[in-house]
Amino acid sequence: MFEASGYGQSAAVARRRDVAPGFGAYGDFDLGEFGSVLWEGKGTILLSVAVALLLAVAFVLLAPRKYTATTQILMDPMDLRAAQTDVSTTIPQSDAAVLQVESQARVIGSDNILRRVVESEGLDHDPEFERGALSQEQVPLTALNNLRKHVDIKRPERTYVIEVSVTSEDPAKAARIANAIAQTYLTEQTEVRSNAARQVSQSLSARLKELQDTLRASENKVEAYKSSHNIVGANGELVNEQQLVNLNTELSAARARTAQAKGRLDQIENVQRSKTDIGAFPEAVQSATITALRTQYTDIMRREAEQKSSLGERHPAVMEIEAQAERVHKLIEDEVNRIAVSANTEYESAKISEELMAQKVDALKNTAESTNQSLVGLRELEREAQANRTVYESFLVRARETGEQELIDTKNIRIISRADPPLTRSSPPPSLLIGLAAMMLGGACGTGIVIMRSLNETNKPRSRPVVDKPPRRFGETMRNLWPISVPLRMRPRRDAYPEIRVLAELPSADISYGLDAIENPNSRFAREIQKIYDAVRESHGKRANPSVLVVAADDQDDTASVALALAAAIASTQRVLLIDADLQRRTLSAIDADESDAGLVDVAIGRRELSEVIVRDRDTNINTVAFVAPNSRRDRPISDADVRQAFDKTRRFDMVIVAAVDLSHNPSTLFFAGLVDHIVLVVRPDDEDRRAVEQFISRLGPDAMKVRGAVLTGVDAA
């Protein structure tokens, strides 16, 4: 991680700093060379494989055998409907049913079940399960804990099946214990449901006595109320209501009789007043006396007519006949008068009877109204009695049902697969598999040992002939670099990197001299600096603006001079950003130390924006920023990705120059080597720098391809 203060470095830099050149260190290696290294170390690899096989054999021989037996229990959430109602509510097939099955799985593995299995199977006397007990009193608890470790209970996905697996050193014992757990669970479930039904039945029975007393009291209140208010019923109806209905019927009949008698009387009186035929009404026709008199009268009138026609009207015989006719007519009138008197008597009797009946109806109506007012309170008492009766009958039926359910097992749980003694062990794994794994592990360990040993040999210092006088041209030194610095087996191909060429030759100069010399484009110093820029531009083929790392191969101050001179030469026509990555001296940052209080790491953590940390020099037009400023601080850990994202923001400048020192003094240099597009080395033409360049190139790894050349400093002195 990058520290916000001090000489921090990224985690990636710390990791890459210590990577020695080896296979794949340069992005390309000779597969044949790699095979040669492994072939030379074949003895080590074979020895590692043999040791691993011996350890595997020892493990197989010494490791205790374990056998696992499994039984399966089906938990159907829909219980059997042995009765219309059950003690517990039947759970439908839904997520609630899954939760019920999961809960039952926990019940199977509970201490209650396992403790009963320990007792029934005698596991507290089994050496395998009582192992670890410190005293005789701890044996049952120890056996229970050991059994819990040997039991595995799970439910396969999308099923209502619970698998109970038991592991033991004896396959028969494992199967026996697994079956015992399943059977114990079924037995306990039966007992639990029976006990639940018994408890409910006992509670209901105890409540029945109270409900019975309450019902009897409410019914007594109803009867007492009826007696006090003279409310008498028959066949579910009140007596006075029945009487009122009957009297109303009789009153209607009486009124009909009165009307009928009145009609007959009026008819007879009309006949009497009109002097019409005295037999012209129904009663006369129906009267036998009048019928006989009318017959006699008709016969007399016939004889009278005959006598008158033969004897004449004044004949005594005719007059006698007329007297007879008059007597018969008088008898008929008397009979009609008698019928009229009888009709009048009947009418008066019907009228009196109607009036008496009406009086009784009125009296009974008054009684009924009083009774109806009393019925309001009666109905309230009857409703209360009916409610108590309903509750009592419900409890009575429920108590009888739950009492019968004590003897009925309604659970729908069954064992669908009993555990059988396993034929193969569950641990350790098969010997063949252990052997193959041991061979692979041994081969991998042996290969790693061979590679690490080869890498250690590579990092050892190698002697080389001392050159009394270095060659004048640095290109000759670079061409002789590879055969001397890298062992044959670790060296990449000769054509892996381009030949390092000399880009410029500069005298020993400080920063002030370099800036003054740049102001004169025709000076030798300015022309040499321009060669560096031209080489970078010529090698840059990307669309994005170039970025270059100016780095010294050893601990020297020439890097700051070269980087600042190059930035000053470019700043006259382009926008250039100079990043000071020298965390130790901070030479470039010290120039504008008063104006800068933050660095690139502050941009990486989001504390500051890039435009806020850049300092622009008005004289040279150079934009500078420190990688880590003296006042930089962090609020959180900084990752390589944070720094890389902050560096990408600098691409808006026409060129970005990073000034750094050698890897040994500043490990962040290797991190920036992976970010930039080009690398320019600053070296001195002597043996010390040649060895530093060798080590620097080795540590760059794949980033060595970015090296565009070297800048020789102190040439006049050389």
Side-chain angles (χ1 to χ4, degrees):
M1 291 298 174
F2 290 102
E3 297 291 342
S5 61
Y7 308 119
Q9 65 189 41
S10 79
V13 170
R15 291 193 298 269
R16 296 176 59 183
R17 178 183 62 187
D18 298 329
V19 175
F23 306 117
Y26 306 126
D28 189 13
F29 65 94
D30 193 341
L31 185 60
E33 293 290 338
F34 181 76
S36 299
V37 172
L38 295 182
W39 179 255
E40 292 179 3
K42 61 182 178 296
T44 302
I45 297 176
L46 292 177
L47 180 60
S48 298
V49 172
V51 172
L53 286 175
L54 289 176
L55 293 177
V57 171
F59 174 75
V60 171
L61 294 177
L62 298 178
R65 268 63 171 170
K66 299 291 184 180
Y67 298 87
T68 301
T70 303
T71 182
Q72 295 179 333
I73 304 174
L74 175 61
M75 299 284 182
D76 194 338
M78 303 295 291
D79 288 346
L80 299 175
R81 305 289 290 185
Q84 184 64 25
T85 56
D86 294 327
V87 174
S88 58
T89 304
T90 303
I91 300 178
Q93 296 185 8
S94 60
D95 293 341
V98 175
L99 294 178
Q100 182 193 26
V101 176
E102 291 288 353
S103 300
Q104 293 303 313
R106 299 295 186 272
V107 173
I108 295 176
S110 63
D111 290 350
N112 189 28
I113 299 294
L114 298 183
R115 185 176 289 105
R116 296 176 66 174
V117 173
V118 169
E119 296 175 357
S120 62
E121 298 299 320
L123 300 182
D124 50 351
H125 302 293
D126 192 320
E128 180 181 358
F129 291 93
E130 67 177 2
R131 188 179 303 142
L134 301 179
S135 62
Q136 189 64 29
E137 292 76 10
Q138 295 182 356
V139 170
L141 182 58
T142 302
L144 176 62
N145 293 333
N146 291 334
L147 178 60
R148 189 184 303 113
K149 297 176 183 177
H150 287 69
V151 174
D152 181 29
I153 301 172
K154 61 182 180 180
R155 180 186 66 86
E157 292 293 333
R158 304 179 66 84
T159 65
Y160 292 141
V161 176
I162 296 178
E163 295 182 351
V164 181
S165 300
V166 178
T167 302
S168 176
E169 298 174 357
D170 184 4
K173 184 194 301 180
R176 187 179 72 253
I177 295 176
N179 292 328
I181 292 175
Q183 190 59 45
T184 302
Y185 168 73
L186 295 179
T187 303
E188 187 191 58
Q189 286 298 300
T190 301
E191 295 176 355
V192 167
R193 292 178 179 243
S194 178
N195 292 335
R198 184 181 301 106
Q199 291 177 1
V200 173
S201 178
Q202 292 175 354
S203 299
L204 292 175
S205 299
R207 181 62 176 160
L208 279 176
K209 177 61 177 175
E210 299 178 5
L211 294 176
Q212 187 179 22
D213 295 340
T214 303
L215 176 59
R216 183 179 292 107
S218 60
E219 290 178 345
N220 290 335
K221 288 181 180 179
V222 171
E223 296 301 325
Y225 189 88
K226 287 181 179 181
S227 177
S228 62
H229 291 80
N230 196 21
I231 301 175
V232 181
N235 297 326
E237 296 181 1
L238 294 177
V239 173
N240 55 357
E241 291 182 352
Q242 295 178 357
Q243 291 176 350
L244 181 60
V245 172
N246 295 334
L247 287 177
N248 281 326
T249 304
E250 294 177 0
L251 178 60
S252 299
R255 287 175 177 173
R257 289 194 301 271
T258 303
Q260 185 178 7
K262 177 63 174 172
R264 289 198 303 270
L265 178 61
D266 292 340
Q267 186 179 23
I268 294 172
E269 290 178 350
N270 289 333
V271 171
Q272 289 177 338
R273 286 193 299 269
S274 62
K275 301 298 184 177
T276 58
D277 188 0
I278 57 176
F281 57 92
E283 284 74 7
V285 175
Q286 296 175 0
S287 177
T289 303
I290 293 177
T291 301
L293 291 174
R294 284 177 62 84
T295 302
Q296 185 179 359
Y297 181 76
T298 301
D299 184 60
I300 292 174
M301 293 303 293
R302 180 181 56 77
R303 286 189 295 110
E304 179 183 7
E306 291 176 357
Q307 292 294 329
K308 281 182 178 182
S309 61
S310 62
L311 297 178
E313 294 182 358
R314 305 298 294 174
H315 191 277
V318 173
M319 294 179 65
E320 180 63 25
I321 293 174
E322 288 179 354
Q324 291 180 0
E326 186 65 28
R327 288 194 298 271
V328 172
H329 187 272
K330 182 67 171 64
L331 291 174
I332 292 175
E333 287 183 354
D334 292 339
E335 186 62 26
V336 170
N337 291 334
R338 186 186 64 79
I339 293 174
V341 172
S342 175
N344 184 50
T345 302
E346 182 180 0
Y347 166 70
E348 293 296 335
S349 176
K351 186 176 180 181
I352 294 172
S353 177
E354 177 186 351
E355 292 175 355
L356 293 176
M357 192 67 65
Q359 292 176 2
K360 290 182 179 180
V361 170
D362 292 339
L364 196 57
K365 283 183 178 180
N366 295 331
T367 304
E369 291 178 357
S370 176
T371 302
N372 290 337
Q373 293 178 358
S374 301
L375 288 177
V376 176
L378 177 63
R379 293 191 186 98
E380 181 66 27
L381 295 176
E382 287 179 343
R383 282 194 295 269
E384 182 180 357
Q386 182 61 34
N388 293 333
R389 186 180 300 106
T390 302
V391 174
Y392 174 74
E393 292 175 352
S394 176
F395 269 68
L396 181 61
V397 173
R398 190 63 172 156
R400 297 289 177 83
E401 290 178 350
T402 53
E404 294 299 327
Q405 287 180 9
E406 296 181 20
L407 306 176
I408 301 175
D409 187 6
T410 59
K411 70 178 184 300
N412 198 5
I413 303 174
R414 62 184 183 275
I415 299 175
I416 60 175
S417 177
R418 295 185 61 83
D420 295 324
L423 301 178
T424 58
R425 67 176 184 263
S426 57
S427 67
S431 301
L432 179 60
L433 182 61
I434 295 177
L436 292 177
M439 293 178 62
M440 295 176 61
L441 181 60
C445 292
T447 302
I449 293 173
V450 171
I451 293 176
M452 293 301 298
R453 185 170 59 192
S454 179
L455 293 177
N456 291 334
E457 293 177 358
T458 302
N459 291 332
K460 292 180 180 179
R462 296 180 177 271
S463 61
R464 52 164 294 152
V466 179
V467 181
D468 296 335
K469 185 177 181 179
R472 182 68 183 88
R473 300 303 298 171
F474 189 72
E476 297 178 3
T477 303
M478 294 296 106
R479 282 191 293 272
N480 296 328
L481 183 62
W482 288 115
I484 297 175
S485 63
V486 183
L488 178 61
R489 70 176 60 178
M490 303 299 294
R491 185 177 68 240
R493 299 194 310 270
R494 288 294 299 241
D495 58 350
Y497 308 104
E499 179 182 0
I500 299 177
R501 58 193 178 96
V502 176
L503 301 179
E505 296 181 356
L506 300 175
S508 298
D510 57 11
I511 293 177
S512 299
Y513 173 81
L515 293 178
D516 293 339
I518 289 299
E519 293 180 356
N520 182 11
N522 297 323
S523 65
R524 177 175 175 270
F525 190 90
R527 291 196 303 271
E528 293 295 319
I529 292 296
Q530 185 65 33
K531 291 180 182 179
I532 302 174
Y533 174 74
D534 294 340
V536 171
R537 272 296 181 184
E538 181 182 357
S539 303
H540 189 69
K542 300 180 180 179
R543 291 185 179 180
N545 294 331
S547 58
V548 57
L549 173 66
V550 180
V551 58
D554 60 359
D555 185 15
Q556 57 176 301
D557 296 333
D558 294 339
T559 300
S561 300
V562 174
L564 190 58
L566 178 61
I570 301 172
S572 60
T573 58
Q574 302 181 36
R575 297 175 65 250
V576 62
L577 176 64
L578 181 59
I579 300 176
D580 185 4
D582 185 355
L583 302 180
Q584 190 170 13
R585 288 184 292 266
R586 293 193 178 93
T587 303
L588 298 176
S589 302
I591 298 176
D592 299 309
D594 296 337
E595 301 182 29
S596 177
D597 62 346
L600 193 63
V601 294
D602 298 277
V603 179
I605 65 175
R607 177 171 169 260
R608 303 289 290 274
E609 294 294 333
L610 181 63
S611 59
E612 298 175 356
V613 300
I614 293 177
V615 178
R616 183 173 178 271
D617 183 70
R618 295 185 179 88
D619 296 332
T620 61
N621 204 30
I622 300 175
N623 298 288
T624 61
V625 62
F627 177 42
V628 180
N631 295 328
S632 294
R633 66 178 185 272
R634 65 178 183 181
D635 301 331
R636 61 175 178 82
I638 309 173
S639 64
D640 297 343
D642 296 333
V643 179
R644 187 176 294 107
Q645 185 176 7
F647 185 79
D648 290 340
K649 295 180 180 179
T650 65
R651 295 290 186 177
R652 60 187 178 87
F653 290 90
D654 297 325
M655 179 172 284
V656 178
I657 301 174
V658 181
V661 297
D662 65 309
L663 300 177
S664 61
H665 289 80
N666 193 349
S668 63
T669 301
L670 191 59
F671 179 72
F672 278 103
L675 297 180
V676 300
D677 303 317
H678 313 281
I679 299 176
V680 174
L681 301 179
V682 179
V683 296
R684 291 180 178 272
D686 53 24
D687 289 340
E688 288 295 330
D689 261 20
R690 282 200 299 273
R691 287 192 291 270
V693 169
E694 294 174 10
Q695 186 177 11
F696 184 84
I697 293 295
S698 300
R699 290 187 176 182
L700 278 180
D703 293 330
M705 298 291 295
K706 300 179 181 179
V707 177
R708 301 293 171 250
V711 177
L712 298 181
T713 60
V715 174
D716 295 340

